[in-house]
Amino acid sequence: MEPIRWKGDRLELLDQRVLPEKTVYVTCRNAAEVAQAIRDMVVRGAPAIGCAAAFGVALSKGSQDSFEILAKSRPTAVNLFWALERMKKAKDLEAEARAIFEADIAANREIGRLGAELIAERARIMTHCNAGALATAGYGTALGVIRSSKNKNISVIANETRPYLQGARLTAWELVQEGIPCTLITDSMAGHLMSKGEVDVVVVGADRIAANGDVANKIGTYALAVLAKRHDIPFYVAAPLSTFDPKIPDGSHIPIEERPAGEVTGYRGTRWAPEGVAVRNPAFDVTPADLITGIICEKGVVLAPNREKLEALIR
Amino acid sequence: MEPIRWKGDRLELLDQRVLPEKTVYVTCRNAAEVAQAIRDMVVRGAPAIGCAAAFGVALSKGSQDSFEILAKSRPTAVNLFWALERMKKAKDLEAEARAIFEADIAANREIGRLGAELIAERARIMTHCNAGALATAGYGTALGVIRSSKNKNISVIANETRPYLQGARLTAWELVQEGIPCTLITDSMAGHLMSKGEVDVVVVGADRIAANGDVANKIGTYALAVLAKRHDIPFYVAAPLSTFDPKIPDGSHIPIEERPAGEVTGYRGTRWAPEGVAVRNPAFDVTPADLITGIICEKGVVLAPNREKLEALIR
């Protein structure tokens, strides 16, 4: 599975809007086209949009415009801004973008290795949204932990993740291909399954981690963390260091993107809500650090994350 | 809005599967056709299926078959079994079915009147699924409370209620027609809005209330109650006495219907999940009594419900 293919003079992005029905690549030849692909969710997932943005800068030869247009594409995932900062300082733009890409895969594999140590034999793992190969340069963060636990006879409960259905379309697809047993539920069923003792552990990705350990991730993550706490179910966040934002003191400062109403009133061409209804569509929410059992990154696992522990980790 | 129309020799049911796009009635001429309509969700909502079942018995002149086939149509909402018990004892079947129907509307109006006393000026009320006119003989339980609060400049946040989208299709439609401001969200957004202080009170319906006050209601209700508790948001359940099941000691004894996988893997003709994925589709969950601020029924409001208070109410 190659969500991002660098071809020297162009970037090919696997169009995640039409998966799993169709496997189509969108070709981007400059930063503006990459920014458009990020905005339209051709490519999504915090690490993946960081990698795509880096290649976008390289395609436009580091012009000031390229940085500006990419910085405006989506607001919540910090990996985008982290990648742009690295590209600003780089001498060889293509080499730097490739280095960001390769380092993301390496980080994911290390996250998978470290995270798998936390997963028990036959664990029933709940995940939300898609923090898989498709959300990264490859392999995945939360799904990296799951992939690396494959030999433990695990199974996965995938929340469908309305409105964009990344769980139903992307996570379920990755897991079916990987041969890992996967059960799909609607987001509203997570609490019921937890109350019935059918969930052993929750593992999710992240879009931005504040200095105190608060985590912005796909909308619905916060509710899962509250429910997991009530049922004493460990709740892990898997994310590379590029997702950490030490400049932001806590989650209340993380900008939360509001996306178009049409994603909520229906799906693709089908509208089911009546005309005249208002819509809210926040794409992310914030899970406070005190609900998080541990953050798994390539430098280690931070249990009961807080400001001091994250400072020590990043230092 | 007339979800159930009795025509003497037939029952006409507003087809809730195709709302709000189409207003079509399905005609039932015997108990088997009514049972099929209940199973297929032409008519849904605990009080509404109780009323429909009563008319079904009347159409089949109280044959033993009619009771058996209707009792098997859906397992969770107790109003169905309550209505069948009443019909078993009745002498004039048509008169009894009409009495059940009329009493449900009267109960809803009284629930609305009593519930409105709990709603503050300009309250932002969250509701889940559809406990409206469509779920009852008319007027609604949770939406009855909301209708009766209309003069208080309230607004409503409607959870879309996957997988069947009763919130997006039915609740939003009722509220738009009623002229009550309504904002549609996905189920996964409820916790985020609560954490931002955008929800003042939650009001939902019920499918079965156990002797100790545990409430079975549409899947996702339990998560809302847990989130409301965390944010000190009052959580009310509005339901007529026909929803109370004093024979069941607590929620763990309530049968939870599992519905077809196709409701989760897509919507109507559209499938978005990959082949090969397993599915769970529990249609209801149980909210323990200690998460419920009050139960609103036609005989009064039971705050902090428990076995003693509910016994005293029903006695």
Side-chain angles (χ1 to χ4, degrees):
Chain A
M1 200 170 302
E2 290 183 294
I4 299 171
R5 292 200 300 219
W6 175 244
K7 298 287 181 178
D9 65 336
R10 63 191 191 277
L11 186 67
E12 294 180 348
L13 297 171
L14 179 56
D15 190 345
Q16 302 194 26
R17 300 169 301 180
V18 297
L19 287 176
E21 298 92 349
K22 293 178 201 158
T23 305
V24 181
Y25 280 83
V26 170
T27 299
C28 302
R29 297 190 177 271
N30 54 50
E33 290 178 4
V34 173
Q36 189 67 38
I38 293 172
R39 196 176 304 115
D40 293 347
M41 293 175 75
V42 172
V43 60
R44 32 64 52 200
I49 66 177
C51 292
F55 284 119
V57 170
L59 284 171
S60 285
K61 307 206 172 2
S63 73
Q64 197 179 329
D65 270 11
S66 71
F67 286 103
E68 284 172 10
I69 194 165
L70 284 161
K72 280 190 239 161
S73 58
R74 292 193 73 189
T76 302
V78 78
N79 313 59
L80 175 69
F81 307 101
W82 168 88
L84 294 177
E85 283 305 310
R86 274 190 60 166
M87 293 301 286
K88 268 181 201 159
K89 294 175 197 150
K91 283 173 189 153
D92 181 335
L93 293 172
E94 181 179 347
E96 184 73 356
R98 293 174 79 121
I100 287 172
F101 180 88
E102 295 299 337
D104 188 59
I105 296 183
N108 288 343
R109 291 202 172 265
E110 187 62 7
I111 287 168
R113 192 185 69 78
L114 292 165
E117 295 175 13
L118 303 166
I119 303 297
E121 266 307 308
R122 283 187 296 281
R124 297 159 300 176
I125 308 169
M126 178 173 282
T127 190
H128 191 65
C129 195
N130 172 268
L134 292 166
T136 61
Y139 203 69
T141 53
L143 287 198
V145 173
I146 288 166
R147 282 199 164 88
S148 296
S149 307
K150 190 178 172 184
N151 61 351
K152 293 187 182 178
N153 297 307
I154 54 156
S155 58
V156 175
I157 298 159
N159 301 337
E160 67 174 9
T161 317
R162 276 282 292 154
Y164 213 69
L165 298 165
Q166 293 95 333
R169 296 191 299 111
L170 309 180
T171 293
W173 186 62
E174 285 197 35
L175 291 172
V176 166
Q177 285 182 83
E178 189 79 35
I180 295 174
C182 175
T183 299
L184 178 65
I185 61 170
T186 68
D187 306 318
S188 58
M189 293 169 190
H192 177 68
L193 293 195
M194 288 184 191
S195 77
K196 292 286 179 188
E198 298 185 31
V199 180
D200 297 311
V201 57
V202 181
V203 187
V204 297
D207 288 83
R208 192 185 297 222
I209 300 175
N212 71 337
D214 290 353
V215 168
N217 190 45
K218 180 52 54 194
I219 191 76
T221 302
Y222 168 61
L224 287 187
V226 170
L227 289 161
K229 186 76 157 190
R230 178 175 168 93
H231 294 287
D232 287 322
I233 297 168
F235 184 92
Y236 292 106
V237 172
L241 287 170
S242 56
T243 305
F244 288 63
D245 187 359
K247 292 193 297 294
I248 284 211
D250 63 60
S252 69
H253 296 81
I254 300 175
I256 301 294
E257 176 182 13
E258 286 260 351
R259 292 193 52 86
E263 292 180 0
V264 173
T265 54
Y267 181 72
R268 288 188 189 159
T270 308
R271 183 184 172 111
W272 48 62
E275 298 295 330
V277 73
V279 168
R280 287 289 303 279
N281 187 11
F284 305 93
D285 59 25
V286 172
T287 298
D290 66 356
L291 295 177
I292 298 169
T293 308
I295 298 177
I296 307 160
C297 75
E298 66 271 38
K299 278 180 79 175
V301 178
V302 183
L303 296 174
N306 61 27
R307 191 176 317 272
E308 293 67 37
K309 292 179 187 176
L310 293 189
E311 269 177 15
L313 179 85
I314 293 170
R315 196 181 300 140
Chain B
M1 201 171 301
E2 289 183 295
I4 299 171
R5 293 198 301 219
W6 175 243
K7 298 288 182 177
D9 65 337
R10 63 190 191 279
L11 186 68
E12 294 180 349
L13 297 171
L14 179 56
D15 190 346
Q16 302 193 26
R17 300 170 301 181
V18 296
L19 287 175
E21 299 93 341
K22 293 180 199 158
T23 305
V24 181
Y25 280 84
V26 171
T27 300
C28 301
R29 296 188 178 272
N30 54 51
E33 290 179 4
V34 173
Q36 189 68 39
I38 291 171
R39 196 176 305 116
D40 292 348
M41 294 177 77
V42 172
V43 59
R44 32 63 54 198
I49 67 178
C51 292
F55 284 119
V57 170
L59 284 170
S60 285
K61 307 208 170 7
S63 73
Q64 198 179 328
D65 270 11
S66 70
F67 286 103
E68 284 171 11
I69 194 164
L70 284 161
K72 279 190 242 162
S73 59
R74 291 192 74 189
T76 303
V78 78
N79 313 61
L80 175 70
F81 307 100
W82 169 89
L84 294 176
E85 283 306 308
R86 274 190 60 166
M87 294 302 286
K88 267 181 200 160
K89 296 174 194 150
K91 284 173 188 153
D92 182 334
L93 293 171
E94 180 178 349
E96 186 71 358
R98 293 174 77 122
I100 287 171
F101 179 88
E102 295 299 338
D104 189 59
I105 296 182
N108 288 344
R109 291 202 172 267
E110 189 61 8
I111 287 167
R113 191 184 70 76
L114 291 165
E117 294 174 11
L118 303 166
I119 303 297
E121 266 308 308
R122 282 188 295 282
R124 296 159 300 176
I125 308 170
M126 178 172 282
T127 191
H128 191 66
C129 194
N130 172 268
L134 293 166
T136 61
Y139 203 68
T141 52
L143 288 198
V145 173
I146 288 166
R147 283 200 162 85
S148 295
S149 306
K150 191 178 169 182
N151 60 352
K152 293 187 182 178
N153 298 307
I154 53 155
S155 57
V156 175
I157 297 159
N159 301 338
E160 68 175 9
T161 318
R162 277 282 292 157
Y164 214 68
L165 299 165
Q166 293 95 334
R169 296 189 298 112
L170 309 179
T171 293
W173 186 61
E174 285 198 34
L175 292 172
V176 166
Q177 286 182 82
E178 189 79 35
I180 295 174
C182 175
T183 299
L184 179 64
I185 61 170
T186 67
D187 307 318
S188 57
M189 293 170 191
H192 177 68
L193 293 194
M194 289 185 189
S195 77
K196 291 287 178 187
E198 298 186 31
V199 181
D200 297 312
V201 56
V202 180
V203 187
V204 297
D207 288 84
R208 192 185 298 223
I209 301 175
N212 71 337
D214 290 352
V215 168
N217 190 47
K218 180 52 54 194
I219 190 76
T221 302
Y222 168 62
L224 287 186
V226 170
L227 288 161
K229 186 76 155 191
R230 178 174 166 97
H231 294 288
D232 286 323
I233 296 169
F235 184 93
Y236 291 107
V237 172
L241 287 169
S242 55
T243 305
F244 289 63
D245 187 358
K247 291 193 297 294
I248 282 212
D250 63 59
S252 69
H253 295 81
I254 300 175
I256 301 294
E257 177 183 12
E258 286 260 352
R259 293 192 53 84
E263 293 179 1
V264 173
T265 52
Y267 181 70
R268 289 187 188 159
T270 308
R271 182 184 172 111
W272 49 63
E275 297 297 330
V277 73
V279 168
R280 287 290 304 278
N281 187 10
F284 305 93
D285 59 25
V286 172
T287 299
D290 66 356
L291 295 178
I292 298 169
T293 309
I295 297 176
I296 308 161
C297 76
E298 65 271 41
K299 278 179 82 174
V301 178
V302 183
L303 296 175
N306 61 28
R307 193 176 315 272
E308 293 66 37
K309 291 179 186 175
L310 292 189
E311 269 177 15
L313 179 87
I314 293 169
R315 197 180 297 141

